[in-house]
Amino acid sequence: MSYTMAVATQRPRQQLLRAATDFGPRKASPSRPSNDEEDWELRHGWEEQYNSEEYLTILNSEFYMYYTDKRHESGGKPKLEDLAKQFEEWRNRDRVKTVFAGLMLCLNLGVDPPDVVKTNPTATLECWIDPAAPSSASTKVMESIGKALMTQYETLSIRTRYKQFLDPSHDETKRCCITLRRNSRDERVLFHYNGHGVPLPTSSGEIWYFNRNYTQYIPVSLYDLQQWLAGPTIYVLDVSHAGNVIANFGRFIEKHEQENKEILEKEPEAAVQSYSDNILLAACGKAETLPTNPDLPADLFTSCLTTPVAISLRCFVLNSQVPMDVTLKDLEKVPGRSQERRTPLGELNWIFTAITDTIAWGSLSRKDFRKLFRQDLMVAALFRNYLLAERLMKANNCHPETRPELPSTHNHPLWQSWDLAVEMVLAQLPSMIASEAGGPHYEYQHSSFFAEQLTAFEVYLSQGAPERKAPDQLPIVLQVLLSQVHRLRALILLSRFLDLGPWAVHLALSIGIFPYVLKLLQSAAHELKPVMIFIWARILAFDQSTQSELLKDNGYKYFLTALKPDAGLPVTNQSEHRAMSAFIIAMFCKDFHQGQVVSLSPELFQSCLDHMYDSDNPLLRQWSCLCISMLWKDFPEAKWAGIRANAHQRLCQMVLDPVPEVRAAALHALKNFLGIPDLTEQVAQTEQAIASTVLVMTSDGNSMVRGELVVFFSHFVKRYENKFLVTAYEELVDEKHRLQYLELQDEYKKPLATQSHTNLLESAEFRSNVSENGTQQTREQISKHSIHASIWKHILIMSVDPHPEVARKAIFVTDYIHAKLLSSALGPRVQTLMDDLTILGRRPALSRQPSLTPLPRLGEVPIVTNTPYDKKNDSYLAAGLKRTATSFVALKNIAFGSSTTTNNIIPMNSSSATLHTHQPQPQPSAVRIRVPDEWSRPPDAHDHTLHSVPYEHAERPMPRDYRPDAEIDNTNLPLKSGFYDWSIEYFREPQMKTDEPDEPGSDDYNSRLWRRMRNEKTLNTTQPLKALAGTSRWDVPIGSIPNKSQPIKMCFHQFEDHLIVADDRDSISVWDWQQRMLLNRFSNGNPTGSKITETRFVNEDDQALLITGASDGVIKIFRDYDSKEKIELVAAYRGLNDLVPSNKNVGMVFEWQQGQGQLLVAGDVKVIRVWNAATEICTNEIPARSGSCITSLTSDQVAGNVFVAGYGDGALRVFDQREKPATAMKQAWRSHKQWITNVHMQRGGMRELISGSRNGEIKLWDIRMKEEIRTITATRNTLRTLSVHEHAPVFVTGSDKHDIKFFNVNGAFLNSVVPNSKVFSTLNRTNPIAATAFHPHRMMLACSSLHDDHVSLFTYHDRRKPDRRSVVQEA
């Protein structure tokens, strides 16, 4: 049987079939009448392509959903669950063995005790020997019985040392018991008592022995017997009225313990005996007599406990209702031995063990099961056989008793399976006997018990383990592992069970699976390797403490061999199992120095390094990194071996891996590489080279990776703490100089009469010591151009990271260094510096001379831009970023400053929405020298928002499980990483199970199916309306939404009744436009002075996420955006981190491509960045090919290769992502002469490409043509907005004169409307239009004007219906 487990390399991303969606043209239904529009040819030459069945098949194939992986739900933070506390201990830490046994046979053959009346005939067999047989003397019979009893017990435990006591006297008994306890020490003693030849136990629990001459019966009290044997002891009492012993046993134990307590009170150091942990097995109750059936043994209870198969065969024959061709004599001829499982007798013994284990597993508590069935081999065998004794003794009117008491199991359904197994052997016995006697050859037919039980277990697994109910077949699976016939199948089913989660692993370990799978590591069976790797990965993910067992018998070598690239595994997904092997070795080395020592080898390094090149399996790359990380953590020899293998260099190459988990794993390994004790120059150079390599990861799009980078930085800072103290001090000094220089320039700009003499003298003195860029001339910085200065700057930048978890970690690093500075010898000077920075940072900055067209300024604190050392982090809005917690108010200035020259110092003020520099503006090119400056300014450049009511700040969403008050030890570095523990959770989660949304019948699946049907209904309802909408008036008001803040950007959800409204600050409102109800309002968290520039939906066909972009260059993605209670921040990163300062800024614009999973980001930068949502890194930077800012982006949403950018100088450029960045631009149009207000390509319809500039010109384009197809003059005023319907041939414009005009793509004017206003006044009627947005499918427009917080909704006039307001409701 081949191992074909359905384990994927990485759990597949959630997929969703395309609904007949808006991505691409929709074919006309045969029943739908054709119209002129549908006969038009698609733009851009895509008609032939979209009519291709092959291409349409690709478009309608499955596509990915983004930002739904585990890393987005947890942020790389491990769960706070403690498996050790959540589950009971599965190991038997207090393991006890039965090392000595005393077999007391008080038979006194030939003499009946006085109080026993025997029937005639009566039971005579003792240990299957008949004492009445005339073949031998009574003394020899007694010896034979004793020897037989010892042989029977040896089948239960061969390691126990047995001592026979045949008809012992009172003194012999005492001497024997004391000797047994002395020799056993603290281990368990077995005391077997057969009292068939002595009086019955008394009501007080006394049992009887003989005097030395066998003339008297001598009672032994339980008190004395307990004192002789102490504890732990197991008592087996095969005597009538045995229940009296159990009834009184506890009373005398209490008496002994009370005496011990008194002794210890008088003498605390006195040695006392233990009387705990005693076990009793009694054959019957207080007043019950043992069975006297002559066909049964006299010691029926002992026979059940020591020879369960033999007594079961005899009882089955005696009680069978069907005549059998088998006699009691024939039962002695059952072939085989109990140790040989392939023989009939051995198979019966094997089945019996499995059945009794299963009965106990299902009937006892887990604690009692481990104690009685897994702690001691002898106790386990006796209790296993006791279950049969209970069944057979009750059938003969006796009720066995135990201490501790067990639940009744005599009528358990599995006993029927035992009867069937016995019957199958007995049915074949005559043929086997005849074959043994020389008759026809007979092949024994093995029982199908185990195969059937495995099938039942498979059915249980196929049902998905409902309610985590423990499977009844688990103990049977354990027994099946002993058989080579069923072993592979049992292991595969066991692996499927372990895959259900930690609870399943705990159950399997509790049942006793561990010794079996540990022993199987010594097996050379090639076909077992994949499943053994899988099982051990789950065990180590649950309990790391199994490392020592792997070390004992060199079991770890099993996985080292499997990890080798040339080690073939009999499975299709070899990479997956090699990843598990790497995980096992990593766990073997984790916090286990002996494991690191024995695992260290050049072969292991080479295997891991080779696997890092496996591009198909990110899990293998991830755990190859983590395996090296755990191998050399705090192990210098391994680090030097890694240096010799160039492991650190290969890990540095992994920082650009397309999978965030792999990038984080590489950082984790590099972090653990730091810290070789002997800090030589070579070591320092190596560590600094690593640090310089990972600096690029500060711009990573994944917060988990950036968080791991901060942890790496914290280790590096701790390693070179003194150098970072110098660096931090110099940064503080430089920051003070920069602020003073800025103040100096403002002082010289004041009128002479207002300048104080003191200030002039101080300024002159200061100016003599600073250069023109604001740095001191007389002092050379120690940290200048060092890696430590660069890292410190990056840490400061990350302290204002858009993701709060990353910022919080970086803040603790900076605060740690600053606290060290304050406590150092420089403490007073540092405190003075900080006080000065606080004062300087609070002073209002004076502006420079305004330009010809004065523009307000942005921000409160001066920042430094265009520094040659690290330009990418000097955003022109950086000063507005706020730290969440720090003791140093000037840190944000340092973060965006530089220890080197400063070219541009930009004073800012919070009263504006734009900014300008003191540098003269660059001269325009000769071609466009006559263009007025106003033409290349945004239409809203002079807007001033008026708020009639106080602005209501909204709550800022946080990541899941974010705990701002959680303690981080900032008194010492380095920070601790949770990434490794988070990575382990992969092996604790089901990987074979189908995801809930993909499981037919599940709630998630049904919800997804409902959404798909809803989407189809929406599409089918709205598509027929698009032709009519292109010739109708759009003047039907259908409602107004009071937003309570100025709407600037709006976006409709395709299928939900959601309207997103972003205001002119940082708040986003989510409205149900159908019910006019506010669902949620939250803060985007962008800094003061910036604004939200774009909003879009991700995964819109299913459960959508909201993506936002702000003018500070930050992208944020929110889950459950429509719920105030559930909303979460999924991702946050800087889409643009090098915004160019300009007084004509647009901030940032982006275009989301669901089909490609890409985010095109541009704005006040010289490139267009392509962010990949799957990899969360910038995969491409396409040159913008212009010095002007990009004002708008649009793309082909079907194939996603072609996109168009609109520029501030009026240019339009067409790019093809399939080309190299240098040659990606395929078309450039310069017909527009002014700022491009918007450019948009339809998702559906005829795929019209429409652009509009601020002078009111609207142009239609075909990317194949050099000139525009059509030009429409929409307005003579300033064009504020342009919106194009995704399917209908309609677009709308909004001007600065409060009018909204509708046109069709032929240029025909349809109508104009005026947004509804909350206050009808002349002022409101002249307010510029602030925002317009079409619904992607429905024939509906949302619009708003400046100084009016209402959003107006309009639809078209459907001439076919008298009630024009029913159009949207029906759609």
Side-chain angles (χ1 to χ4, degrees):
M1 179 180 179
S2 63
Y3 178 57
T4 56
M5 291 192 306
V7 184
T9 299
Q10 200 169 19
R11 197 185 306 179
R13 193 189 303 275
Q14 295 186 30
Q15 294 181 337
L16 178 69
L17 287 173
R18 286 181 185 268
T21 184
D22 56 329
F23 298 111
R26 297 177 57 81
K27 294 185 177 181
S29 172
S31 60
R32 190 184 303 163
S34 62
N35 53 66
D36 292 339
E37 183 192 352
E38 292 179 351
D39 295 332
W40 292 348
E41 180 181 355
L42 286 181
R43 299 291 186 203
H44 321 301
W46 292 332
E47 176 74 22
E48 181 179 352
Q49 188 179 24
Y50 291 159
N51 285 334
S52 167
E53 290 296 332
E54 180 181 357
Y55 190 74
L56 290 176
T57 300
I58 295 175
L59 292 182
N60 288 309
S61 64
E62 295 181 352
F63 69 101
Y64 290 127
M65 295 174 63
Y66 299 96
Y67 299 103
T68 56
D69 292 325
K70 180 187 174 183
R71 65 176 179 267
H72 301 117
E73 296 177 355
S74 62
K77 293 180 291 186
K79 297 176 182 176
L80 297 177
E81 61 184 10
D82 187 347
L83 295 181
K85 296 180 180 179
Q86 188 176 353
F87 298 100
E88 296 179 1
E89 174 63 48
W90 61 271
R91 293 176 184 269
N92 290 312
R93 299 291 182 183
D94 51 346
R95 199 173 184 87
V96 182
K97 295 182 292 184
T98 302
V99 292
F100 284 94
L103 307 180
M104 308 288 179
L105 294 174
C106 300
L107 298 179
N108 197 14
L109 297 176
V111 180
D112 292 335
D115 57 351
V116 175
V117 179
K118 295 184 178 180
T119 60
N120 191 17
T122 189
T124 58
L125 294 179
E126 297 283 354
C127 299
W128 300 103
I129 296 175
D130 188 356
S135 57
S136 59
S138 61
T139 55
K140 292 187 176 181
V141 171
M142 193 67 184
E143 292 175 0
S144 299
I145 292 174
K147 187 176 181 180
L149 179 61
M150 187 172 68
T151 302
Q152 292 173 195
Y153 265 109
E154 285 176 344
T155 61
L156 305 184
S157 176
I158 191 65
R159 296 183 179 180
T160 302
R161 299 178 63 180
Y162 301 93
K163 181 69 176 177
Q164 306 172 38
F165 297 94
L166 308 179
D167 291 336
S169 65
H170 177 277
D171 294 337
E172 289 175 333
T173 301
K174 177 180 179 180
R175 186 167 56 252
C176 158
C177 292
I178 294 175
T179 302
L180 288 174
R181 173 45 58 199
R182 183 174 61 250
N183 294 338
S184 299
R185 298 183 181 177
D186 295 329
E187 301 291 349
R188 182 173 280 116
V189 173
L190 169 65
F191 179 80
H192 179 96
Y193 176 76
N194 183 327
H196 296 172
V198 294
L200 304 176
T202 65
S203 58
S204 60
E206 297 171 311
I207 57 176
W208 298 86
Y209 286 92
F210 307 99
N211 65 355
R212 183 171 299 179
N213 299 322
Y214 296 97
T215 58
Q216 290 181 338
Y217 298 108
I218 307 298
V220 175
S221 70
L222 268 180
Y223 178 86
D224 293 337
L225 188 63
Q226 291 170 352
Q227 190 172 26
W228 300 339
L229 290 172
T233 302
I234 179 169
Y235 299 83
V236 178
L237 307 172
D238 191 350
V239 62
S240 298
H241 293 200
N244 286 327
V245 178
I246 290 184
N248 293 277
F249 194 86
R251 176 165 57 91
F252 290 108
I253 288 291
E254 292 176 359
K255 186 175 181 181
H256 282 296
E257 291 179 346
Q258 181 62 33
E259 291 174 353
N260 286 345
K261 185 177 179 181
E262 294 173 358
I263 293 173
L264 292 175
E265 288 177 353
K266 294 179 180 179
E267 196 174 343
E269 302 298 328
V272 295
Q273 290 194 107
S274 171
Y275 296 96
S276 61
D277 198 14
N278 292 296
I279 300 173
L280 285 82
L281 301 175
C284 57
K286 294 182 187 179
E288 293 179 342
T289 304
L290 297 178
T292 57
N293 186 341
D295 294 327
L296 294 174
D299 59 347
L300 177 61
F301 187 63
T302 300
S303 299
C304 291
L305 294 181
T306 56
T307 56
V309 174
I311 193 64
S312 294
L313 291 169
R314 177 176 287 263
C315 290
F316 188 88
V317 171
L318 293 175
N319 298 323
S320 177
Q321 303 297 323
V322 180
M324 302 189 69
D325 199 11
V326 176
T327 65
L328 295 180
K329 286 289 184 183
D330 293 338
L331 298 180
E332 301 175 2
K333 301 177 182 179
V334 176
R337 297 173 60 243
S338 59
Q339 291 82 9
E340 298 175 358
R341 298 185 187 88
R342 298 298 295 169
T343 63
L345 198 60
E347 186 177 63
L348 276 178
N349 186 66
W350 186 25
I351 294 174
F352 176 79
T353 301
I355 286 178
T356 50
D357 258 8
T358 304
I359 292 175
W361 169 255
S363 303
L364 304 181
S365 67
R366 299 288 175 261
K367 182 179 179 181
D368 288 344
F369 179 83
R370 288 200 306 272
K371 178 181 178 181
L372 301 179
F373 286 81
R374 291 295 180 265
Q375 190 182 72
D376 184 350
L377 188 63
M378 173 67 80
V379 172
L382 287 175
F383 269 94
R384 195 180 294 120
N385 299 341
Y386 172 81
L387 300 181
L388 175 69
E390 183 195 17
R391 186 187 187 211
L392 297 184
M393 297 294 285
K394 283 190 175 181
N396 290 276
N397 300 317
C398 281
H399 298 80
E401 296 180 5
T402 63
R403 176 191 169 99
E405 186 177 359
L406 298 184
S408 178
T409 59
H410 68 283
N411 57 355
H412 196 280
L414 270 179
W415 286 122
Q416 298 178 14
S417 298
W418 172 240
D419 291 341
L420 177 60
V422 170
E423 185 177 8
M424 289 181 64
V425 172
L426 292 175
Q428 300 178 73
L429 185 59
S431 300
M432 290 187 290
I433 294 176
S435 178
E436 291 282 339
H441 174 73
Y442 182 78
E443 187 72 24
Y444 173 66
Q445 301 297 316
H446 292 279
S447 172
S448 59
F449 171 78
F450 289 107
E452 292 169 352
Q453 292 299 318
L454 288 179
T455 302
F457 188 45
E458 193 169 4
V459 171
Y460 164 87
L461 293 173
S462 65
Q463 295 175 347
E467 298 180 359
R468 293 189 175 184
K469 180 183 177 183
D472 296 334
Q473 300 80 17
L474 197 56
I476 298 175
V477 175
L478 179 66
Q479 291 296 319
V480 175
L481 295 180
L482 301 173
S483 168
Q484 291 186 354
V485 178
H486 304 291
R487 181 175 294 161
L488 181 57
R489 184 188 177 194
L491 284 173
I492 293 175
L493 293 177
L494 177 62
S495 66
R496 289 177 56 188
F497 177 69
L498 298 182
D499 187 61
L500 296 176
W503 68 272
V505 180
H506 178 257
L507 283 179
L509 292 174
S510 299
I511 200 68
I513 206 79
F514 184 73
Y516 293 81
V517 294
L518 182 63
K519 189 175 182 181
L520 284 175
L521 292 180
Q522 310 304 320
S523 173
H526 195 56
E527 67 276 5
L528 296 184
K529 280 193 174 183
V531 67
M532 287 298 297
I533 292 171
F534 187 94
I535 289 173
W536 269 95
R538 268 60 194 171
I539 291 176
L540 279 166
F542 176 78
D543 190 349
Q544 180 187 339
S545 66
T546 54
Q547 296 162 317
S548 56
E549 283 83 358
L550 280 177
L551 180 65
K552 285 180 182 177
D553 300 322
N554 295 327
Y556 67 94
K557 293 183 177 179
Y558 190 91
F559 308 105
L560 286 174
T561 303
L563 186 57
K564 295 180 179 179
D566 56 351
L569 296 174
V571 69
T572 55
N573 53 344
Q574 294 188 19
S575 295
E576 168 75 10
H577 290 80
R578 290 197 177 102
M580 295 181 200
S581 299
F583 163 73
I584 292 170
I585 298 301
M587 293 297 293
F588 178 61
C589 296
K590 183 176 184 288
D591 303 327
F592 188 53
H593 183 67
Q594 290 176 290
Q596 291 174 304
V597 172
V598 299
S599 299
L600 177 60
S601 66
E603 291 77 13
L604 176 57
F605 270 108
Q606 195 58 48
S607 296
C608 291
L609 295 178
D610 289 345
H611 291 319
M612 291 182 193
Y613 291 97
D614 189 331
S615 59
D616 297 329
N617 195 314
L619 188 66
L620 178 56
R621 300 200 303 275
Q622 175 186 349
W623 279 103
S624 296
C625 296
L626 292 176
C627 182
I628 292 177
S629 178
M630 290 295 104
L631 177 62
W632 65 23
K633 181 181 181 183
D634 301 326
F635 189 24
E637 289 81 359
K639 294 178 182 180
W640 283 112
I643 292 176
R644 290 190 290 271
N646 293 323
H648 61 292
Q649 295 180 5
R650 179 68 187 115
L651 287 167
C652 286
Q653 298 172 12
M654 303 296 287
V655 299
L656 295 179
D657 191 275
V659 178
E661 288 86 347
V662 179
R663 301 198 295 273
L667 275 173
H668 191 278
L670 292 172
K671 175 234 353 175
N672 284 339
F673 176 81
L674 301 176
I676 296 178
D678 188 11
L679 186 56
T680 62
E681 184 177 353
Q682 177 192 358
V683 172
Q685 290 177 353
T686 302
E687 293 181 345
Q688 290 173 16
I690 291 173
S692 63
T693 303
V694 302
L695 283 178
V696 67
M697 303 183 78
T698 55
S699 60
D700 197 288
N702 184 265
S703 61
M704 177 181 68
V705 176
R706 298 199 306 277
E708 196 66 21
L709 179 62
V710 176
V711 176
F712 172 88
F713 284 157
S714 72
H715 281 74
F716 195 84
V717 168
K718 182 65 176 178
R719 173 80 159 164
Y720 302 95
E721 183 174 306
N722 290 334
K723 292 186 178 181
F724 278 97
L725 290 174
V726 173
T727 302
Y729 176 75
E730 291 183 345
E731 282 287 352
L732 290 172
V733 172
D734 285 348
E735 177 62 16
K736 178 181 177 181
H737 292 158
R738 278 193 293 270
L739 292 178
Q740 287 177 334
Y741 181 65
L742 180 62
E743 188 178 32
L744 168 67
Q745 291 180 319
D746 288 331
E747 184 70 22
Y748 269 92
K749 284 170 44 179
K750 292 181 181 180
L752 186 60
T754 63
Q755 299 181 19
S756 67
H757 179 70
T758 303
N759 286 343
L760 286 176
L761 290 176
E762 291 177 353
S763 298
E765 181 182 358
F766 175 75
R767 190 170 185 177
S768 66
N769 291 324
V770 296
S771 63
E772 294 181 358
N773 51 42
T775 59
Q776 275 193 313
Q777 296 176 335
T778 60
R779 176 179 170 273
E780 182 67 23
Q781 295 176 335
I782 299 176
S783 63
K784 185 176 182 180
H785 299 309
S786 69
I787 183 62
H788 309 93
S790 183
I791 288 178
W792 182 244
K793 183 174 183 179
H794 280 77
I795 294 174
L796 293 172
I797 291 169
M798 297 184 80
S799 69
V800 287
D801 192 272
H803 196 281
E805 195 71 45
V806 178
R808 183 164 164 262
K809 292 180 179 178
I811 286 169
F812 277 104
V813 178
T814 57
D815 286 356
Y816 170 83
I817 291 296
H818 285 145
K820 285 287 185 179
L821 273 177
L822 289 171
S823 61
S824 67
L826 292 173
R829 298 184 64 182
V830 173
Q831 186 62 59
T832 303
L833 274 173
M834 291 182 176
D835 293 341
D836 293 343
L837 285 171
T838 303
I839 297 171
L840 289 170
R842 290 174 180 171
R843 292 180 183 175
L846 297 175
S847 64
R848 299 192 177 277
Q849 291 298 324
S851 60
L852 294 178
T853 307
L855 293 176
R857 293 162 295 166
L858 174 66
E860 297 176 351
V861 183
I863 64 169
V864 181
T865 64
N866 295 343
T867 58
Y869 196 79
D870 192 2
K871 288 179 63 176
K872 297 212 172 207
N873 298 308
D874 295 328
S875 167
Y876 76 100
L877 286 173
L881 300 172
K882 303 298 183 184
R883 284 188 45 173
T884 55
T886 181
S887 59
F888 307 104
V889 297
L891 186 56
K892 55 182 175 294
N893 303 328
I894 302 172
F896 298 95
S898 169
S899 60
T900 61
T901 60
T902 304
N903 296 329
N904 291 334
I905 301 180
I906 307 171
M908 295 185 178
N909 196 310
S910 61
S911 62
S912 71
T914 58
L915 85 166
H916 63 282
T917 70
H918 71 284
Q919 299 259 356
Q921 295 298 323
Q923 292 296 323
S925 63
V927 176
R928 310 193 64 167
I929 190 106
R930 298 180 183 275
V931 173
D933 191 56
E934 186 71 20
W935 286 14
S936 58
R937 280 201 183 135
D940 58 354
H942 302 286
D943 286 355
H944 297 275
T945 305
L946 302 177
H947 295 281
S948 58
V949 295
Y951 187 78
E952 181 181 350
H953 292 276
E955 187 176 351
R956 181 181 174 188
M958 289 294 165
R960 180 178 298 181
D961 298 329
Y962 176 70
R963 298 176 301 278
D965 298 329
E967 294 184 2
I968 293 182
D969 182 14
N970 66 322
T971 61
N972 198 10
L973 289 184
L975 296 175
K976 294 181 180 179
S977 169
F979 175 74
Y980 186 84
D981 293 332
W982 178 84
S983 299
I984 294 174
E985 293 175 1
Y986 175 88
F987 296 100
R988 295 174 184 161
E989 298 167 348
Q991 303 301 328
M992 302 183 191
K993 183 182 177 182
T994 306
D995 285 335
E996 192 73 11
D998 300 324
E999 184 69 36
S1002 67
D1003 291 342
D1004 288 349
Y1005 181 89
N1006 292 338
S1007 298
R1008 175 169 289 185
L1009 187 61
W1010 177 85
R1011 285 191 291 269
R1012 177 188 170 92
M1013 295 173 62
R1014 177 206 60 188
N1015 299 352
E1016 289 285 359
K1017 181 180 178 182
T1018 301
L1019 293 170
N1020 293 332
T1021 305
T1022 57
Q1023 286 298 317
L1025 305 177
K1026 62 182 183 180
L1028 188 61
T1031 59
S1032 301
R1033 294 177 59 83
W1034 287 67
D1035 57 357
V1036 182
I1038 56 173
S1040 179
I1041 296 175
N1043 192 58
K1044 295 186 179 179
S1045 61
Q1046 176 63 61
I1048 293 297
K1049 293 291 178 180
M1050 295 187 292
C1051 179
F1052 280 101
H1053 191 289
Q1054 289 192 59
F1055 305 107
E1056 300 283 355
D1057 295 336
H1058 293 168
L1059 172 63
I1060 305 298
V1061 181
D1063 65 16
D1064 57 334
R1065 296 193 185 182
D1066 67 343
S1067 294
I1068 296 175
S1069 301
V1070 183
W1071 288 90
D1072 183 329
W1073 58 263
Q1074 192 79 263
Q1075 303 295 329
R1076 313 289 191 271
M1077 180 172 64
L1078 181 64
L1079 302 177
N1080 191 17
R1081 184 173 182 269
F1082 61 94
S1083 170
N1084 187 58
N1086 46 287
T1088 303
S1090 63
K1091 62 181 179 180
I1092 301 168
T1093 57
E1094 295 283 359
T1095 59
R1096 293 288 187 275
F1097 289 102
V1098 181
N1099 308 332
E1100 212 166 350
D1101 283 29
D1102 196 63
Q1103 291 179 304
L1105 307 175
L1106 179 64
I1107 179 170
T1108 67
S1111 56
D1112 61 346
V1114 171
I1115 301 290
K1116 293 187 177 181
I1117 301 170
F1118 301 94
R1119 181 191 295 111
D1120 296 322
Y1121 59 88
D1122 58 332
S1123 172
K1124 187 174 182 179
E1125 294 76 21
K1126 298 181 180 179
I1127 186 170
E1128 297 172 355
L1129 179 66
V1130 177
Y1133 60 95
R1134 295 195 182 278
L1136 297 177
N1137 57 0
D1138 51 359
L1139 293 169
V1140 178
S1142 170
N1143 64 341
K1144 303 171 184 177
N1145 70 85
V1146 69
M1148 179 179 66
V1149 294
F1150 67 73
E1151 170 76 353
W1152 167 249
Q1153 296 179 322
Q1154 178 72 40
Q1156 295 288 324
Q1158 292 181 158
L1159 189 69
L1160 310 177
V1161 184
D1164 296 324
V1165 289
K1166 303 300 183 183
V1167 294
I1168 302 166
R1169 284 198 172 89
V1170 181
W1171 287 87
N1172 189 297
T1175 62
E1176 300 186 66
I1177 56 177
C1178 180
T1179 56
N1180 202 359
E1181 285 192 354
I1182 301 173
R1185 304 291 290 272
S1186 174
S1188 180
C1189 61
I1190 296 177
T1191 65
S1192 179
L1193 283 173
T1194 187
S1195 67
D1196 168 25
Q1197 288 285 349
V1198 181
N1201 298 316
V1202 176
F1203 68 89
V1204 181
Y1207 292 77
D1209 60 1
L1212 294 170
R1213 289 179 174 84
V1214 181
F1215 298 87
D1216 191 337
Q1217 295 188 65
R1218 292 168 293 187
E1219 298 286 342
K1220 294 180 180 179
T1223 60
M1225 194 189 78
K1226 295 302 179 185
Q1227 187 73 271
W1229 298 308
R1230 294 182 173 85
S1231 298
H1232 288 294
K1233 303 302 180 183
Q1234 297 194 23
W1235 180 284
I1236 298 298
T1237 301
N1238 191 19
V1239 58
H1240 187 81
M1241 181 183 290
Q1242 287 184 309
R1243 296 181 180 182
M1246 293 298 104
R1247 314 304 309 283
E1248 297 285 3
L1249 175 60
I1250 304 176
S1251 65
S1253 60
R1254 63 169 286 156
N1255 63 352
E1257 282 188 353
I1258 307 295
K1259 295 180 182 293
L1260 279 69
W1261 306 90
D1262 190 306
I1263 63 174
R1264 298 168 294 177
M1265 301 180 182
K1266 295 293 185 181
E1267 303 293 335
E1268 66 270 23
I1269 300 171
R1270 183 176 296 112
T1271 298
I1272 305 167
T1273 302
T1275 179
R1276 299 296 181 184
N1277 302 309
T1278 301
L1279 183 69
R1280 299 291 299 248
T1281 67
L1282 168 65
S1283 298
V1284 183
H1285 199 283
E1286 298 290 0
H1287 296 275
V1290 178
F1291 65 88
V1292 66
T1293 64
S1295 72
D1296 60 352
K1297 298 302 181 183
H1298 200 64
D1299 63 335
I1300 295 175
K1301 295 181 180 180
F1302 292 85
F1303 298 84
N1304 64 22
V1305 294
N1306 290 330
F1309 172 71
L1310 301 179
N1311 66 281
S1312 64
V1313 296
V1314 175
N1316 297 332
S1317 177
K1318 59 181 179 178
V1319 179
F1320 292 96
S1321 66
T1322 304
L1323 177 62
N1324 289 102
R1325 299 189 183 200
T1326 59
N1327 285 341
I1329 299 300
T1332 56
F1334 274 113
H1335 192 284
H1337 297 296
R1338 304 177 191 272
M1339 305 306 144
M1340 183 168 61
L1341 175 78
C1343 58
S1344 67
S1345 62
L1346 202 63
H1347 310 316
D1348 187 355
D1349 56 16
H1350 280 61
V1351 176
S1352 302
L1353 303 177
F1354 290 90
T1355 187
Y1356 79 110
H1357 179 190
D1358 190 350
R1359 297 185 298 273
R1360 302 171 302 174
K1361 300 181 180 180
D1363 184 5
R1364 300 187 298 179
R1365 297 179 182 272
S1366 63
V1367 178
V1368 176
Q1369 281 76 6
E1370 284 194 9

